[in-house]
Amino acid sequence: MTYTEISLHDQEIDVEDSGAHLRRTIRHGIRFITEHIPSQRSVALGMWIGAGSRDEMPGHEGSTHFLEHLLFKGTRTRSATMIAEEQDYLGGDFNAMTAKQFTAYHGRVFDEDLAPAVDLLADMVTSARLDEQDMLVERGVILDELAMYADDPSDVAHEALPGAIFGDHPLARPVGGTRESVTNLAHSALLEHYRDHYHAGELVVTAAGSVDHETFVETVLAGLRKYGWELTGEEFVPRRVETPLSYSLSNKTIQQTSEQAVVLVGMPGVTHLDQRRPALLAALTILGTGSSSRLFQEIREKRGLAYSAYSFASSYETGGFVALGAPTSPKNVQIVAELMNETLDGIVGSVKESEVESAYRRLRAGAVFDAEAVQQRMLRLGLAELSTGRLISLDEALRRQKAVTRDDIEEVLAMLTVNERACVTVGPIG
């Protein structure tokens, strides 16, 4: 059967999507989602833990990102060097990512190398050594990573923006922790965070490409058992829902020695299941995506005040935000912030039908081009399971986007203009 939208609860799924065979099974509390894509010779796979920076307990801040590093530092059977050599030998693109809602370890290999790739990731997830000496060494690496981001005004501004909108809500926490939290994180707290979250009930396993669902499931289960997980009838941990987002908007100016400054203007947005989200995406495309966008034309083309100007949105279960941004010369910070606000306020009532069609064509291209990349297909499955709780087919997503009218866009823009706004500026200001 084909599908339009599926709610991911405790059901098994066996559907088609634009020629791909998509299946979901739950075994021993582990959620497996695969997408067999004809003509592919490679497989992208991921092992996801349903806990991110928002889920860290007091004293555990920074643990999520710290674990992402330490899982590559060795297991009971593989040293860090062996892990690195095996990844290179498999020829795959292995990596990991930490987010506010999850942690993921992933790679892409030829289909003939899927079994050893699964074995490697299963060993890392189940049997990480997490040695205290390794933690001491890696702490320096993470602090250097944070320092690298702290030297970039754009990274600093984007990290500060959620706090300027959400206040002290867990979703406002820095994903990688802070210099203070990483410095003070105890080895015992790290181990506690690992024990709390790295188990079958938290695990989601995804694969897309040249993959057979049943064979893949059995291969993963065999790997997890091999490295010591006792798989019984464990229930999976339901997808976490944040406490309701309360908005606490504020302005932040962060002084930093740099050649350039960054300005972000943020405001409340919509949830990820809000029916207005397709209209919001179209509105933000018109406002700040591409060289024809209103922000780009106003700030760069007409006035030459910035190399780029853009807009974006982040949506969660209970809320979200919209932001406009631009890097600029420190002396132009004030005028760029004013132009962002004026462009947003002035767009209401002036959207053209040609802009509506152009926005759809760009959003369609992004969705289809992503669907042609096996890595993106695999990531889509994990994000659906752990972030939105829903799978929407490509055809249905395109249909909803195509159905957005000029009036829909005007309505969502009008909503944005009446919201309070936060402003974050970073650089040598004042």
Side-chain angles (χ1 to χ4, degrees), residues 208-234:
S210 179
V211 58
D212 176 79
H213 183 81
E214 289 299 335
T215 302
F216 179 68
V217 170
E218 293 303 325
T219 301
V220 172
L221 292 176
L224 297 175
R225 290 190 180 101
K226 173 182 176 181
Y227 294 109
W229 272 14
E230 295 183 6
L231 303 177
T232 57
E234 184 175 359

mmCIF file of all heavy atoms in Angstrom, residues 208-234:
data_model
loop_
_atom_site.group_PDB
_atom_site.id
_atom_site.type_symbol
_atom_site.label_atom_id
_atom_site.label_comp_id
_atom_site.label_asym_id
_atom_site.label_seq_id
_atom_site.Cartn_x
_atom_site.Cartn_y
_atom_site.Cartn_z
ATOM 1 N N ALA A 208 18.571 3.095 4.892
ATOM 2 C CA ALA A 208 17.948 3.408 3.614
ATOM 3 C C ALA A 208 18.915 3.053 2.506
ATOM 4 O O ALA A 208 20.129 3.238 2.643
ATOM 5 C CB ALA A 208 17.567 4.886 3.539
ATOM 6 N N GLY A 209 18.381 2.528 1.417
ATOM 7 C CA GLY A 209 19.202 2.148 0.275
ATOM 8 C C GLY A 209 19.002 0.694 -0.073
ATOM 9 O O GLY A 209 17.871 0.183 -0.050
ATOM 10 N N SER A 210 20.098 0.005 -0.360
ATOM 11 C CA SER A 210 20.041 -1.404 -0.735
ATOM 12 C C SER A 210 20.000 -2.264 0.520
ATOM 13 O O SER A 210 21.001 -2.842 0.936
ATOM 14 C CB SER A 210 21.265 -1.758 -1.595
ATOM 15 O OG SER A 210 21.254 -3.120 -1.951
ATOM 16 N N VAL A 211 18.823 -2.322 1.127
ATOM 17 C CA VAL A 211 18.693 -3.002 2.414
ATOM 18 C C VAL A 211 17.436 -3.864 2.431
ATOM 19 O O VAL A 211 16.371 -3.448 1.957
ATOM 20 C CB VAL A 211 18.652 -1.972 3.572
ATOM 21 C CG1 VAL A 211 17.514 -0.982 3.405
ATOM 22 C CG2 VAL A 211 18.568 -2.661 4.935
ATOM 23 N N ASP A 212 17.576 -5.084 2.945
ATOM 24 C CA ASP A 212 16.434 -5.964 3.185
ATOM 25 C C ASP A 212 16.053 -5.850 4.651
ATOM 26 O O ASP A 212 16.901 -6.070 5.539
ATOM 27 C CB ASP A 212 16.790 -7.411 2.840
ATOM 28 C CG ASP A 212 15.663 -8.370 3.176
ATOM 29 O OD1 ASP A 212 14.698 -8.450 2.394
ATOM 30 O OD2 ASP A 212 15.746 -9.017 4.252
ATOM 31 N N HIS A 213 14.809 -5.537 4.926
ATOM 32 C CA HIS A 213 14.386 -5.200 6.280
ATOM 33 C C HIS A 213 14.654 -6.336 7.267
ATOM 34 O O HIS A 213 15.305 -6.124 8.306
ATOM 35 C CB HIS A 213 12.904 -4.836 6.293
ATOM 36 C CG HIS A 213 12.405 -4.410 7.636
ATOM 37 N ND1 HIS A 213 12.585 -3.137 8.122
ATOM 38 C CD2 HIS A 213 11.753 -5.092 8.624
ATOM 39 C CE1 HIS A 213 12.049 -3.030 9.328
ATOM 40 N NE2 HIS A 213 11.541 -4.214 9.658
ATOM 41 N N GLU A 214 14.147 -7.515 6.993
ATOM 42 C CA GLU A 214 14.263 -8.615 7.965
ATOM 43 C C GLU A 214 15.713 -9.003 8.199
ATOM 44 O O GLU A 214 16.123 -9.250 9.344
ATOM 45 C CB GLU A 214 13.452 -9.823 7.479
ATOM 46 C CG GLU A 214 11.950 -9.629 7.552
ATOM 47 C CD GLU A 214 11.460 -9.374 8.970
ATOM 48 O OE1 GLU A 214 12.132 -9.798 9.933
ATOM 49 O OE2 GLU A 214 10.400 -8.748 9.121
ATOM 50 N N THR A 215 16.497 -9.045 7.127
ATOM 51 C CA THR A 215 17.912 -9.376 7.282
ATOM 52 C C THR A 215 18.626 -8.322 8.124
ATOM 53 O O THR A 215 19.444 -8.645 9.005
ATOM 54 C CB THR A 215 18.581 -9.487 5.901
ATOM 55 O OG1 THR A 215 17.912 -10.481 5.134
ATOM 56 C CG2 THR A 215 20.055 -9.848 6.044
ATOM 57 N N PHE A 216 18.299 -7.069 7.881
ATOM 58 C CA PHE A 216 18.911 -5.972 8.622
ATOM 59 C C PHE A 216 18.556 -6.062 10.106
ATOM 60 O O PHE A 216 19.430 -5.924 10.976
ATOM 61 C CB PHE A 216 18.443 -4.636 8.043
ATOM 62 C CG PHE A 216 18.992 -3.427 8.749
ATOM 63 C CD1 PHE A 216 20.337 -3.110 8.676
ATOM 64 C CD2 PHE A 216 18.153 -2.607 9.497
ATOM 65 C CE1 PHE A 216 20.855 -1.983 9.325
ATOM 66 C CE2 PHE A 216 18.653 -1.482 10.150
ATOM 67 C CZ PHE A 216 20.013 -1.177 10.067
ATOM 68 N N VAL A 217 17.293 -6.290 10.414
ATOM 69 C CA VAL A 217 16.866 -6.397 11.810
ATOM 70 C C VAL A 217 17.621 -7.512 12.519
ATOM 71 O O VAL A 217 18.139 -7.333 13.640
ATOM 72 C CB VAL A 217 15.340 -6.621 11.897
ATOM 73 C CG1 VAL A 217 14.922 -6.986 13.322
ATOM 74 C CG2 VAL A 217 14.587 -5.381 11.424
ATOM 75 N N GLU A 218 17.689 -8.667 11.898
ATOM 76 C CA GLU A 218 18.377 -9.801 12.530
ATOM 77 C C GLU A 218 19.867 -9.527 12.693
ATOM 78 O O GLU A 218 20.482 -9.932 13.697
ATOM 79 C CB GLU A 218 18.155 -11.074 11.711
ATOM 80 C CG GLU A 218 16.713 -11.568 11.714
ATOM 81 C CD GLU A 218 16.179 -11.814 13.124
ATOM 82 O OE1 GLU A 218 16.967 -12.247 14.001
ATOM 83 O OE2 GLU A 218 14.977 -11.578 13.358
ATOM 84 N N THR A 219 20.462 -8.837 11.730
ATOM 85 C CA THR A 219 21.886 -8.503 11.817
ATOM 86 C C THR A 219 22.147 -7.566 12.994
ATOM 87 O O THR A 219 23.112 -7.733 13.747
ATOM 88 C CB THR A 219 22.369 -7.851 10.513
ATOM 89 O OG1 THR A 219 22.146 -8.743 9.416
ATOM 90 C CG2 THR A 219 23.849 -7.505 10.578
ATOM 91 N N VAL A 220 21.291 -6.578 13.160
ATOM 92 C CA VAL A 220 21.452 -5.632 14.272
ATOM 93 C C VAL A 220 21.263 -6.340 15.608
ATOM 94 O O VAL A 220 22.067 -6.162 16.540
ATOM 95 C CB VAL A 220 20.458 -4.460 14.134
ATOM 96 C CG1 VAL A 220 20.496 -3.583 15.394
ATOM 97 C CG2 VAL A 220 20.779 -3.625 12.904
ATOM 98 N N LEU A 221 20.212 -7.152 15.723
ATOM 99 C CA LEU A 221 19.966 -7.859 16.977
ATOM 100 C C LEU A 221 21.131 -8.777 17.332
ATOM 101 O O LEU A 221 21.540 -8.862 18.500
ATOM 102 C CB LEU A 221 18.668 -8.656 16.882
ATOM 103 C CG LEU A 221 17.377 -7.832 16.788
ATOM 104 C CD1 LEU A 221 16.173 -8.741 16.588
ATOM 105 C CD2 LEU A 221 17.190 -6.976 18.023
ATOM 106 N N ALA A 222 21.678 -9.454 16.326
ATOM 107 C CA ALA A 222 22.820 -10.340 16.575
ATOM 108 C C ALA A 222 24.023 -9.535 17.070
ATOM 109 O O ALA A 222 24.742 -9.963 17.990
ATOM 110 C CB ALA A 222 23.177 -11.106 15.303
ATOM 111 N N GLY A 223 24.245 -8.350 16.482
ATOM 112 C CA GLY A 223 25.360 -7.510 16.911
ATOM 113 C C GLY A 223 25.188 -7.013 18.332
ATOM 114 O O GLY A 223 26.142 -7.022 19.128
ATOM 115 N N LEU A 224 23.985 -6.607 18.690
ATOM 116 C CA LEU A 224 23.736 -6.109 20.045
ATOM 117 C C LEU A 224 23.916 -7.218 21.080
ATOM 118 O O LEU A 224 24.488 -7.003 22.156
ATOM 119 C CB LEU A 224 22.329 -5.525 20.131
ATOM 120 C CG LEU A 224 22.049 -4.304 19.244
ATOM 121 C CD1 LEU A 224 20.578 -3.906 19.338
ATOM 122 C CD2 LEU A 224 22.934 -3.130 19.641
ATOM 123 N N ARG A 225 23.433 -8.430 20.746
ATOM 124 C CA ARG A 225 23.612 -9.560 21.664
ATOM 125 C C ARG A 225 25.093 -9.933 21.786
ATOM 126 O O ARG A 225 25.577 -10.255 22.880
ATOM 127 C CB ARG A 225 22.812 -10.770 21.178
ATOM 128 C CG ARG A 225 21.303 -10.617 21.289
ATOM 129 C CD ARG A 225 20.613 -11.942 21.026
ATOM 130 N NE ARG A 225 19.171 -11.843 21.116
ATOM 131 C CZ ARG A 225 18.348 -11.753 20.044
ATOM 132 N NH1 ARG A 225 18.876 -11.757 18.823
ATOM 133 N NH2 ARG A 225 17.056 -11.662 20.201
ATOM 134 N N LYS A 226 25.788 -9.897 20.679
ATOM 135 C CA LYS A 226 27.206 -10.270 20.665
ATOM 136 C C LYS A 226 28.008 -9.439 21.659
ATOM 137 O O LYS A 226 28.926 -9.954 22.311
ATOM 138 C CB LYS A 226 27.748 -10.070 19.247
ATOM 139 C CG LYS A 226 29.248 -10.269 19.111
ATOM 140 C CD LYS A 226 29.687 -10.007 17.666
ATOM 141 C CE LYS A 226 31.206 -10.094 17.517
ATOM 142 N NZ LYS A 226 31.632 -9.826 16.109
ATOM 143 N N TYR A 227 27.634 -8.161 21.788
ATOM 144 C CA TYR A 227 28.402 -7.274 22.654
ATOM 145 C C TYR A 227 27.768 -7.061 24.026
ATOM 146 O O TYR A 227 28.129 -6.139 24.741
ATOM 147 C CB TYR A 227 28.652 -5.947 21.940
ATOM 148 C CG TYR A 227 29.538 -6.136 20.733
ATOM 149 C CD1 TYR A 227 29.030 -6.021 19.446
ATOM 150 C CD2 TYR A 227 30.874 -6.479 20.890
ATOM 151 C CE1 TYR A 227 29.844 -6.228 18.334
ATOM 152 C CE2 TYR A 227 31.694 -6.682 19.791
ATOM 153 C CZ TYR A 227 31.169 -6.563 18.517
ATOM 154 O OH TYR A 227 31.983 -6.775 17.421
ATOM 155 N N GLY A 228 26.798 -7.917 24.366
ATOM 156 C CA GLY A 228 26.395 -7.973 25.765
ATOM 157 C C GLY A 228 25.022 -7.467 26.141
ATOM 158 O O GLY A 228 24.648 -7.544 27.317
ATOM 159 N N TRP A 229 24.264 -6.945 25.182
ATOM 160 C CA TRP A 229 22.916 -6.501 25.540
ATOM 161 C C TRP A 229 22.004 -7.712 25.672
ATOM 162 O O TRP A 229 21.922 -8.541 24.748
ATOM 163 C CB TRP A 229 22.368 -5.538 24.490
ATOM 164 C CG TRP A 229 22.745 -4.105 24.769
ATOM 165 C CD1 TRP A 229 23.676 -3.651 25.627
ATOM 166 C CD2 TRP A 229 22.168 -2.950 24.138
ATOM 167 N NE1 TRP A 229 23.743 -2.287 25.600
ATOM 168 C CE2 TRP A 229 22.816 -1.821 24.700
ATOM 169 C CE3 TRP A 229 21.183 -2.750 23.186
ATOM 170 C CZ2 TRP A 229 22.516 -0.529 24.316
ATOM 171 C CZ3 TRP A 229 20.877 -1.460 22.795
ATOM 172 C CH2 TRP A 229 21.540 -0.349 23.367
ATOM 173 N N GLU A 230 21.311 -7.817 26.796
ATOM 174 C CA GLU A 230 20.326 -8.871 26.990
ATOM 175 C C GLU A 230 18.989 -8.359 26.461
ATOM 176 O O GLU A 230 18.349 -7.515 27.085
ATOM 177 C CB GLU A 230 20.223 -9.251 28.466
ATOM 178 C CG GLU A 230 21.494 -9.880 29.020
ATOM 179 C CD GLU A 230 21.329 -10.309 30.456
ATOM 180 O OE1 GLU A 230 20.191 -10.218 30.977
ATOM 181 O OE2 GLU A 230 22.333 -10.740 31.064
ATOM 182 N N LEU A 231 18.568 -8.878 25.327
ATOM 183 C CA LEU A 231 17.333 -8.410 24.679
ATOM 184 C C LEU A 231 16.181 -9.302 25.099
ATOM 185 O O LEU A 231 16.139 -10.490 24.800
ATOM 186 C CB LEU A 231 17.517 -8.415 23.155
ATOM 187 C CG LEU A 231 18.691 -7.564 22.652
ATOM 188 C CD1 LEU A 231 18.828 -7.689 21.145
ATOM 189 C CD2 LEU A 231 18.515 -6.109 23.051
ATOM 190 N N THR A 232 15.243 -8.715 25.830
ATOM 191 C CA THR A 232 14.079 -9.475 26.287
ATOM 192 C C THR A 232 12.825 -8.811 25.722
ATOM 193 O O THR A 232 12.795 -8.380 24.601
ATOM 194 C CB THR A 232 14.045 -9.497 27.825
ATOM 195 O OG1 THR A 232 14.026 -8.145 28.320
ATOM 196 C CG2 THR A 232 15.289 -10.188 28.377
ATOM 197 N N GLY A 233 11.807 -8.697 26.507
ATOM 198 C CA GLY A 233 10.569 -8.078 26.040
ATOM 199 C C GLY A 233 10.480 -6.618 26.406
ATOM 200 O O GLY A 233 9.387 -6.116 26.652
ATOM 201 N N GLU A 234 11.616 -5.944 26.478
ATOM 202 C CA GLU A 234 11.649 -4.560 26.939
ATOM 203 C C GLU A 234 10.770 -3.660 26.076
ATOM 204 O O GLU A 234 10.743 -3.762 24.849
ATOM 205 C CB GLU A 234 13.092 -4.042 26.913
ATOM 206 C CG GLU A 234 13.243 -2.638 27.473
ATOM 207 C CD GLU A 234 14.698 -2.222 27.546
ATOM 208 O OE1 GLU A 234 15.565 -3.030 27.171
ATOM 209 O OE2 GLU A 234 14.951 -1.093 27.980
#
